[in-house]
Amino acid sequence: MTSKIKLADGGGGEATARLIREVFWSRFTDPELRKGNDAAVLEWSSGKTALTTDAFVVTPWKFPGGDIGRLAVSGTVNDLTMSGAEPKFLTAAFIIEEGFETDSLKEIVQSMAETAVEAGVAIVAGDTKVVNRGAVDRIFITTTGIGLVEGEYYPGGEKARPGDQVIITGTVGDHGAAILLARGELGISAELESDVAPLNRMLLPLIRHFKAGVRAMRDPTRGGLAVTLNEIAGQSKVSIILNEAQIPVLPEVRGISALLGLDPLYLANEGKAIIIAAPEIAADLVGQLKRTPLGAKAALIGEVSAENPGLVMLRNQNGGGRVLPMGSGELLPRIC
Ligand code: MG
């Protein structure tokens, strides 16, 4: 019989101690974590600290290209990266439904450990709660991360200026479309993987190199490219004009979107970044991205304008255009 997580596993007694040893400490190997103290005590250098937190509730927990564990590490690593911070330490809190398979939990923890190594970040503290059947759907994970900003400059959504160029590091909508497919409710099958990946090793060298030329970076997760650009347009009080023909979209994502009446520009990404770059460095930055494995399909997709502040416009090949609104949100729940 396959082993299942029991309420007692989260009760704080001997069963919890065993679960922590056998599932977590065998995969999360940071010495500070394994001391088992109430808080990890960390070496820190002086400078600016970035801090972020995110809860992950994706369903199904495992999907082509990744799982909730890879997502929970990548999502927090990427949010630190977008602020120009080198991710250093993560914490992870698990809320598990009674009856969840122990082997599935081990697989998720292993995936988190591997993604943390890939990103060069240490998981230094954690918490586990087990709740009654129905109190949570299978497993939810919250990760918090801290990172270090080297030097004085860091990019921000409020720093876009008219004339700046808009760059995307690859195809849009892959994660959202892959999750919809993985739910198996569509009656269609296609070869499509989530793009979930930590982006710090690709992006932080660009900030070090181009410095203030990198005005803003943001990962277009929930709400996709369109909503994320609306946020930047609002923060910087500028408009953003996109050229539809230049936005990379996989044919599979286009197909699924057309079937469901969805717009790939609003689908979630978990391994992509929008970069707002000064005009004089934009082409060079795209060239450097294209030489990295995760940035091979990077493209210049638009520009920042002073007119109609707050608006995002999509220009088509015939010279026409339409506004890409903020949207109502929550069209696709539990995508991340
Ligand atoms: Mg983000």
Side-chain angles (χ1 to χ4, degrees), residues 79 218-219 221:
D79 278 347
R218 192 154 295 172
D219 54 343
T221 55

Side-chain angles (χ1 to χ4, degrees), residues 64-308:
D67 56 51
I68 193 172
R70 181 167 176 79
L71 190 61
V73 172
S74 300
T76 291
V77 160
N78 290 346
D79 278 347
L80 291 171
T81 302
M82 299 306 136
S83 287
E86 181 76 57
K88 293 288 187 188
F89 302 108
L90 295 190
T91 72
F94 297 79
I95 301 178
I96 307 165
E97 185 185 27
E98 175 191 13
F100 191 63
E101 303 79 16
T102 308
D103 283 346
S104 299
L105 181 62
K106 287 177 180 169
E107 192 178 332
I108 290 166
V109 174
Q110 180 67 27
S111 171
M112 292 179 78
E114 287 169 6
T115 310
V117 168
E118 189 180 333
V121 71
I123 297 171
V124 294
D127 183 51
T128 306
K129 298 279 158 45
V130 180
V131 297
N132 292 302
R133 261 172 223 279
V136 67
D137 183 13
R138 316 211 72 195
I139 184 164
F140 293 170
I141 303 175
T142 297
T143 48
T144 297
I146 52 174
L148 199 59
V149 178
E150 290 172 13
E152 282 303 303
Y153 181 77
Y154 56 97
E158 73 287 0
K159 293 174 182 170
R161 301 179 206 169
D164 285 350
Q165 302 292 296
V166 182
I167 295 161
I168 185 79
T169 62
T171 53
V172 301
D174 304 10
H175 177 76
I179 296 295
L180 289 173
L181 266 183
R183 287 183 187 165
E185 296 159 0
L186 307 179
I188 47 174
S189 60
E191 289 281 311
L192 182 62
E193 291 195 342
S194 165
D195 56 349
V196 57
L199 297 173
N200 55 319
R201 293 192 196 266
M202 173 171 74
L203 297 177
L204 292 173
L206 297 175
I207 301 177
R208 270 178 221 123
H209 183 78
F210 292 108
K211 301 191 172 67
V214 179
R215 312 278 203 232
M217 266 191 194
R218 192 154 295 172
D219 54 343
T221 55
R222 245 184 334 186
L225 182 70
V227 169
T228 308
L229 284 175
N230 267 278
E231 290 168 2
I232 294 172
Q235 279 180 275
S236 289
K237 300 180 178 64
V238 294
S239 63
I240 291 171
I241 301 155
L242 296 177
N243 295 312
E244 191 166 30
Q246 292 165 349
I247 302 172
V249 185
L250 290 173
E252 294 84 353
V253 174
R254 249 186 232 293
I256 293 160
S257 300
L259 268 175
L260 299 176
L262 296 169
D263 185 341
L265 305 186
Y266 286 82
L267 291 180
N269 308 273
E270 292 292 345
K272 301 289 155 49
I274 295 165
I275 304 171
I276 309 289
E280 61 274 17
I281 66 143
D284 189 6
L285 196 154
V286 172
Q288 295 205 18
L289 277 170
K290 280 178 173 292
R291 288 194 286 276
T292 64
L294 295 176
K297 291 182 179 164
L300 262 176
I301 58 170
E303 64 183 34
V304 177
S305 164
E307 288 169 39
N308 305 307

